[in-house]
Amino acid sequence: MQALANLADARQETDTPLLEVRDLRVTFAGEDGDITAVEDLSFAIAPGETVCIVGESGSGKSVTSLSITRLVEFGGGRIENGQILLDDGTGAPKNLITASETMMRQVRGNQIGMIFQEPITALNPVLNIADQLIEGLRTHHNLSASAARARALELMKQVRIPEPERRLDQFPHELSGGMRQRVMIALALACKPRLLIADEPTTALDVTIQAEILGLINRLQRETGTSIIFITHDMAVVAQIADRVVVMKDGRKVDEAPVDELFASPRHPYTQALLAAVPKLGDMRGKSFPEAMKLVGEDTVVRAPIEGSTKPMLTVEGLTTRFPVTGGILRRVVARVHAVEDVSFTVNAGRTLSLVGESGCGKSTTARSILRLVNPDKGVVKLDGQDITELAAADLRLARQHMQIVFQDPFGSLDPKRRLFDQVAAPLRNFRNLHGNALAERVETLFQRVQLPPSFTSRYPHELSGGQRQRVAIARAIALEPKLVVADEAVSALDVSVQAEVLNMMMDLQAELGLSYLFISHDMAVVERVSHDVGVMYLGRIVEIGPRQAVLENPQHAYTKALLSAVPVADPSKRRLDGPVDFKPIPSPVHPPDHTPEPSIFKDLGGGHRVLVTEGWY
C-alpha cells in the first residue's frame, strides 16, 4: 500500500502527462470512400496511471492503440488530424505523428510496449519463441546472446509458462492460444517500457492465470512507475485495475471518469448499458437451467427454461490424446505430452456442457479430438449413437455437417482471401446444395442473427474487428443447424453488450433446434449463465464434473475452488491485485514414452456430481 501511496504522490507532483492524445482522427480507405475509425479523440495518461479504454468491438479502441505506435499506417490506416505527444524524458514532448520511422523504431518496444489482441498474427511463425524475445532485448539493451536468453527465460517464468526452457525453442503454432498470449505479454514487458499498451491481453487466459498476469502487470507498475493503457471489454477487469476509464462508441469518446465514479454513477446511456450487460458470478444461484441475459433497452422477453432432454447426443468414453516429443539426430520419440488423459462425459440433446480450466489443460485438444481434427490415441466418441472414431474419411466428412466448431481465434479460422459471404455460404453449398437467391437470403439471415449488417457479406476478414470476425465464425458454424456445436472460447473476443446478445442468440437456437453445446470458456460468469453441466479440467483430466449448480455452488476439488476464488469482481471497492503475486508451479504433462498413468477414479457425490480421487497421476 505504501508503494501505491508513493505512486499517487508522484502523479500529483507532475503536471506533464506521459502521453497525451489530442483531437485524433484516423481513417481507412473503403470501396465507397473513406471510413472514419476514430474521430476527435482526446485523452491523457499520467506517469504511473492506468487508463482503461472500453467499448464495443469496432468502436475504435484497437485503432487508437495502433495509432499511438503508428502501426496503424501499416494496416492501411491514415492519421488525418491530431497530435500524439510522448514525454520521452528529454524535457520536450515529442509528437509521434510527425516522428521519423527511425525514431519510431526506437520508441516501439523500448519506450512503448504493446500487447496485441491476436497473438497468432502478431508472433512470427518462422522464428522460435527465444529468437523473438531476444531480438528486442539485443536491439534496445545491447545484451549479449547469453544474457538475452537468460532474460528471456526469466520473462517466460514471470508469465507462468510451464516448462519455460523447452518452450523457448518451440514455435508459436506449437503453443496453445493462452500460452501464445503469455508470450506476447513477455515480449511487451521485456524492455521495461515507460508506457504499456495492452490490447485485450487476458482474453485467452483462464481466471487463475488472468489474476496472476494482472497482478504481475500491477507489480511492474508499482515498482517502475510504468503507465498502462488497458483496452478490454471485461468490465470486471476494469474494476480491478483502472484509475480512469475512457468509454468509446463509433470511434468517439462518449464518457470519461475515475473508475469509482464510473461504476457508481455512469452518466452516458451507453456506459450504463455496458455495465448492465456484465455477467456476474452468483446471478444464477438457485436456478437449475440456463437463462437469457437481460439487455438494457430491451423489453423483457419471456423465455421458457431450456431443460433439454435425457437422450445422450454426445458420449465420450476414455478419450486419450498424446503428442510425441522427438529428439536426437534420428528424431526418435523421447517423451509424450499427455494432453488429454482418460476423459469421459455425456452431453444430452439440447443441453450444454461447459469445460473450464487453465490454458494448456487440454480443453481445446479434447474438442479437436472429439471432432477428429486431432486423432485420439484411444477412446470412444459417439455422436447420436454413431462412433466418430471408427469412421472412414468419406463418412467422416458427411458426419461433420452434424458437428461444427467455433474456433478460439477467428482470424486464423477465416480465409483472408475470400469474401465473408463465400465463407458462410460454403457449407450451405456443399451440404444443402443452395445457390442463387435462396443462398443469398440464407446468408443474409445468418448475418442478421449474429448482429452483423448484410452489407458485411461483401467484406474481407481484415476489414472487421476481432469481435466482428468471431460473429462471422459463429454464423458459419450454425449455418447447417448441426446437432453439436463446439464453442471454443466463442464469445471471448466480444464486448459485454454484444456477448450478451450472442449468448442469448445461442440459447434461442438451442431451444428452437435442440442443439447440444460443448462450451469451452475461461469466463466463469458466462459458464454459469449458459451451462446445464460443468466439467473442470486440469493437466488433461477432468477433476470435477456434474450439474452446474452442484459444481459452481458446492465445489469439492481444490482446483475448482481456486478457479472460483480467482474470478474478478465488477466492483472497484473489491480489488484483489494489491497483494503479492503468488506463482504456483505447474506440473509437467510430459512423460517418458513408456509411462502408464493411473486411470481416472471418481467419487460419486450424487445427482451426477463426481470428483476425481486419483492422486499423483502427473
Side-chain angles (χ1 to χ4, degrees), residues 411 414-420 422-423 458-462:
F411 198 85
L414 295 173
D415 189 336
K417 297 181 180 180
R418 299 179 67 195
R419 292 185 186 273
L420 299 175
D422 294 320
Q423 302 198 51
S458 63
R459 295 190 180 187
Y460 291 90
H462 72 271

Side-chain angles (χ1 to χ4, degrees), residues 135-146:
E135 181 182 13
L137 292 167
R138 300 200 70 182
T139 299
H140 295 299
H141 287 192
N142 198 28
L143 296 180
S144 66
S146 60

Side-chain angles (χ1 to χ4, degrees), residues 153 156-168 170 175-176 178-179 182 209 358-361 539 584-590:
L153 180 60
M156 296 283 276
K157 292 177 179 177
Q158 278 187 333
V159 295
R160 200 183 177 226
I161 289 182
E163 301 178 281
E165 296 86 351
R166 187 169 71 88
R167 302 294 184 189
L168 277 175
Q170 290 186 317
L175 305 181
S176 70
M179 287 185 188
R182 282 178 273 171
I209 296 176
E358 66 186 14
S359 170
C361 73
L539 280 177
K584 301 177 180 64
I586 302 176
S588 173
V590 180

Side-chain angles (χ1 to χ4, degrees), residues 266-377:
R267 296 185 297 254
H268 196 276
Y270 179 66
T271 309
Q272 297 169 6
L274 276 181
L275 292 173
V278 177
K280 300 178 181 66
L281 187 64
D283 281 354
M284 297 291 290
R285 182 171 290 275
K287 300 177 181 180
S288 300
F289 304 110
E291 187 175 289
M293 303 185 70
K294 188 177 184 304
L295 305 178
V296 171
E298 178 186 73
D299 292 335
T300 303
V301 178
V302 178
R303 293 177 170 91
I306 306 172
E307 298 185 26
S309 77
T310 57
K311 174 190 174 184
M313 179 56 66
L314 175 69
T315 303
V316 179
E317 299 175 0
L319 185 68
T320 298
T321 303
R322 301 167 184 164
F323 298 107
V325 178
T326 58
I329 297 175
L330 300 178
R331 310 302 295 170
R332 290 193 177 96
V333 175
V334 296
R336 296 187 190 278
V337 180
H338 291 235
V340 178
E341 194 64 47
D342 196 18
V343 166
S344 301
F345 57 80
T346 299
V347 184
N348 289 344
R351 291 175 68 91
T352 299
L353 169 68
S354 291
L355 291 181
V356 300
E358 66 186 14
S359 170
C361 73
K363 305 186 302 293
S364 294
T365 302
T366 298
R368 290 168 182 265
S369 300
I370 289 168
L371 300 178
R372 287 274 303 276
L373 298 177
V374 172
N375 282 319
D377 289 73

